[in-house]
Amino acid sequence: MGGFLGTGASFGSDLNLVLQLSMASALGVGMALARRKHYRAHAVCQSAVVLLNVALIARIMLPAFRDGVLPGLPVEVAKPYYSIATLHAAAGGAAQLLGIYIVIAAGTKLLPERLRLSNYRRWMRAELALWWIVVGFGVATYYIWL
Ligand code: HEM
């Protein structure tokens, strides 16, 4: 199905782009909530983004990576079409796993004491920075794939 941004990308790519940019902004709003000590609202906001992204990876990005990138690896890896998407996927996988870990460690009592976080703030800051870098590589992938 054709996209709706007029760039020639598919509907899935356009939808993912718009949702990802909205979610990246929502994480910024969530950070501001934490700064104002609205910790409950902060937790709901950041967790919703991390969980929604599981669906976007499973339905849009992983299939696009499997069909569009994997068949060309490792032979074509020097081409930006493959290298930027691969960097994005590797960093994105790490950001998503770290996000899930933070949600479980900070928001639940499921993990044993020794696996919980002792310095939430530092990990959440690192995760936010990594997430925004991943979004940057994602936007680059979108343009390179046009
Ligand atoms: C925190 C995790 C992630 C974030 C924030 C993120 C963000 C983005 C953004 C903003 C785009 C541009 C929109 C688009 O072209 O669809 C994108 C595209 C893409 N992402 Fe991710 N991504 C993440 C994880 C992943 C993972 C784990 C993979 C693969 C295993 C992946 C593979 C791709 C691919 C192949 C595209 C291009 C899809 C297309 O245009 O058809 N991403 N991502």
Side-chain angles (χ1 to χ4, degrees), residues 2 8 20 24 34 37 48 60-61 92 95 100-101 113 139:
Q20 292 292 351
K37 302 198 187 315
I60 298 178
M61 292 187 280
I100 291 171
Y101 170 70
E113 196 72 51
V139 173

Side-chain angles (χ1 to χ4, degrees), residues 65 69-70 73 77 79-92 141 145:
F65 189 80
V69 182
L70 274 186
L73 294 183
V77 78
K79 297 182 182 158
Y81 180 97
Y82 293 93
S83 57
I84 300 297
T86 302
L87 267 175
H88 165 73
T141 303
W145 282 27

Side-chain angles (χ1 to χ4, degrees), residues 13 16-17 20 53 61-62 65 88-89 92-93 131 134 138 142 145:
S13 302
N16 192 35
L17 182 67
Q20 292 292 351
N53 206 37
M61 292 187 280
L62 207 50
F65 189 80
H88 165 73
W131 194 287
V134 169
Y142 178 91
W145 282 27

Side-chain angles (χ1 to χ4, degrees), residues 15-104:
L15 180 67
N16 192 35
L17 182 67
V18 169
L19 288 176
Q20 292 292 351
L21 293 175
S22 311
M23 287 153 61
S25 311
L27 290 176
V29 172
M31 178 181 70
L33 288 168
R35 288 228 172 112
R36 288 175 176 72
K37 302 198 187 315
H38 299 307
Y39 294 118
R40 178 91 202 122
H42 163 72
V44 170
C45 181
Q46 311 309 64
S47 305
V49 169
V50 170
L51 295 180
L52 173 59
N53 206 37
V54 173
L56 293 177
I57 288 176
R59 289 301 302 264
I60 298 178
M61 292 187 280
L62 207 50
F65 189 80
R66 185 193 58 214
D67 300 340
V69 182
L70 274 186
L73 294 183
V75 179
E76 312 266 26
V77 78
K79 297 182 182 158
Y81 180 97
Y82 293 93
S83 57
I84 300 297
T86 302
L87 267 175
H88 165 73
Q96 185 62 41
L97 289 177
L98 180 59
I100 291 171
Y101 170 70
I102 291 175
V103 169
I104 294 173

Side-chain angles (χ1 to χ4, degrees), residues 103-133:
V103 169
I104 294 173
T108 75
K109 295 194 179 351
L110 290 174
L111 294 177
E113 196 72 51
R114 67 193 162 83
L115 291 181
R116 295 201 198 139
L117 292 172
S118 53
N119 188 339
Y120 290 106
R121 190 167 292 180
R122 186 180 297 165
W123 280 102
M124 287 177 183
R125 276 194 195 143
E127 168 68 344
L128 187 61
L130 176 62
W131 194 287
W132 280 342
I133 290 169

